[in-house]
């Protein structure tokens, strides 16, 4: 009989890009830990891979694709973030990529990791129609350090700077209710952050 206390599998959580991606990966880390998975940043120790991609520059998008290919060569890979939001088809063509989600409904990737699909799933939606996703960090997942954490208050940007890709990959500004922000900050402080 299997030991129920053992983690289901080990998932490598790899994040490229901004603090928003780091925050979202920390929130997903907590959800995966709560679901019984072990999480790591060590690609060699993992059976499954979750890559949160970046596309702020062409070079960061290239590095995102490169990292996804490296992960997919090792095991089932799940892709989120800005690069996959802008160019999902490029990630869908990579063998062993099981799930491509953009910047909407990031929490749904946890269900895909829990029960990896046989065929690749594309869950990238129209970013203009995606509401603010209520991801939060409780303090028990992967944090920047033992005493610091980010608190996400807004997603997207409504400025249309000619050089910036953020509105195209994250949508317009959508803010989190102030009471949720304060509640998260209090929970993090209570956890010693």
């Amino acid at each position: 009989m299997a030991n129920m206390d053992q983690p289901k599998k080990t998932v490598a959580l790899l994040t490229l890009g901004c603090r928003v991606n780091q925050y979202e990966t920390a929130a997903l880390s907590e959800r995966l830990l709560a679901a019984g998975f072990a999480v790591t940043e060590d690609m060699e120790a993992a059976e499954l891979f979750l890559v949160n991609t970046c596309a702020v520059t062409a070079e960061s998008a290239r590095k995102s694709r490169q990292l996804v290919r490296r992960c997919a060569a090792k095991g089932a890979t799940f892709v989120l973030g800005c690069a996959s939001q802008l160019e999902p088809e490029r990630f869908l063509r990579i063998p062993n990529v099981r799930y491509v989600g953009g910047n909407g409904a990031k929490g749904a990737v946890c269900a895909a990791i829990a029960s990896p699909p046989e065929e690749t799933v594309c869950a990238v939606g129209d970013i203009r129609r995606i509401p603010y996703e209520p991801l939060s960090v409780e303090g028990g997942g992967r944090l920047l350090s033992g005493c610091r954490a980010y608190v996400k208050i807004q997603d997207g940007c409504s400025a249309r700077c000619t050089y910036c890709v953020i509105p195209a990959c994250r949508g317009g500004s959508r803010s989190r209710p102030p009471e949720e922000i304060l509640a998260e900050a209090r929970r993090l402080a209570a956890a010693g952050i």
Side-chain angles (χ1 to χ4, degrees), residues 135-190:
L135 289 175
S136 65
V137 174
E138 303 297 321
R142 241 177 27 104
L143 300 173
L144 180 63
S145 71
C147 63
R148 295 174 59 185
Y150 299 120
V151 176
K152 183 176 171 183
I153 62 170
Q154 170 191 322
D155 204 357
C157 182
S158 295
R160 295 287 178 184
C161 303
T162 57
Y163 58 86
C164 186
V165 71
I166 298 304
C169 56
R170 285 204 170 262
S173 293
R174 298 171 317 284
S175 296
R176 187 174 180 190
E179 57 277 4
E180 286 181 20
I181 298 166
L182 291 171
E184 182 173 332
R186 289 182 185 114
R187 283 192 309 270
L188 290 167

Side-chain angles (χ1 to χ4, degrees), residues 4 8 23 36 82 85 106 159 167 173:
M4 297 306 236
K8 294 179 183 175
Y23 174 90
C82 293
Q85 179 70 43
K106 283 191 172 180
S173 293

Side-chain angles (χ1 to χ4, degrees), residues 7-30:
K8 294 179 183 175
K9 288 194 173 188
T10 301
V11 183
L13 301 177
L14 305 161
T15 305
L16 293 106
C18 64
R19 289 182 178 127
V20 173
N21 275 4
Q22 292 172 25
Y23 174 90
E24 291 169 346
T25 300
L28 294 172
S29 170
E30 290 183 350

Side-chain angles (χ1 to χ4, degrees), residues 52-83:
N52 200 350
T53 64
C54 179
V56 73
T57 65
E59 178 64 11
S60 60
R62 184 194 68 75
K63 286 181 178 180
S64 293
R65 291 188 302 275
Q66 181 181 45
L67 180 58
V68 168
R69 282 191 296 274
R70 285 181 45 218
C71 291
K74 296 178 176 295
T77 301
F78 303 81
V79 184
L80 299 172
C82 293

